[in-house]
Amino acid sequence: PGMQRVDAMEIEPAVVPLSSIRVRPGVAPPADPDHGWTRGPDLADLPDERVTLWWPPGVRAGEGANGGPDDESAAVALVRLGDRVAAYANACVHQGLSLARGLVDAQGCVLTCPWHGMKYQALTGESLAAVGQRLTAYPARIDGGAVWLRLTG
């Protein structure tokens, strides 16, 4: 019971060639005024303690991988808890079904899939039942009253 010993290890710093991260000395990166971030909805337009589907620019409902008119798979599931927002691919890890009508418990910070009751930590997407499983999350931030999302790596 309790910690008995701590060993310190010397660690060599990692050297990463600039070319491996697509940086070339003296060459400016391509112009991207938003630095890879996509403007999403205004925070005021997202109901608190709910899941809201949002389609990225150029994507419409029905254009997901399943192709039907009710296909919501291309949407981003946004979860708002007060002044915090989390963004996920709109697919439960259990069976890939939509999180659109998911339940959000603000007190416990839990998002529950409406189909089979799979529970996730609402702001991280970590499964509360299946160890090591999590929703596919997108980085999200709030700036100037708008939600900004980084949808690509």
Side-chain angles (χ1 to χ4, degrees):
M3 189 180 312
Q4 300 296 321
R5 182 176 139 181
V6 175
D7 291 326
M9 297 173 50
E10 283 192 39
I11 299 175
E12 292 289 323
V15 177
V16 178
L18 292 177
S19 61
S20 71
I21 56 172
R22 298 185 184 150
V23 173
R24 292 186 295 160
V27 177
D32 180 3
D34 296 321
H35 306 286
W37 291 89
T38 300
R39 189 184 192 289
D42 288 336
L43 181 64
D45 292 337
L46 295 178
D48 200 11
E49 301 178 16
R50 302 227 177 182
V51 177
T52 303
L53 294 187
W54 175 79
W55 279 263
V59 177
R60 295 186 318 239
E63 290 185 345
N66 302 326
D70 297 327
D71 183 9
E72 298 174 335
S73 65
V76 175
L78 300 173
V79 178
R80 178 180 176 189
L81 289 172
D83 61 352
R84 299 173 296 174
V85 174
Y88 304 108
N90 185 32
C92 175
V93 298
H94 176 222
Q95 290 188 347
L97 298 171
S98 175
L99 298 167
R101 289 172 276 299
L103 304 174
V104 179
D105 170 12
Q107 299 293 6
C109 200
V110 174
L111 166 62
T112 303
C113 174
W115 300 98
H116 300 103
M118 189 84 154
K119 294 183 182 307
Y120 303 93
Q121 202 287 341
L123 294 175
T124 67
E126 186 74 30
S127 171
L128 300 178
V131 176
Q133 296 292 312
R134 68 175 5 174
L135 297 171
T136 300
Y138 301 114
R141 65 182 170 89
I142 299 168
D143 187 14
V147 176
W148 289 81
L149 305 160
R150 183 163 286 180
L151 302 174
T152 58

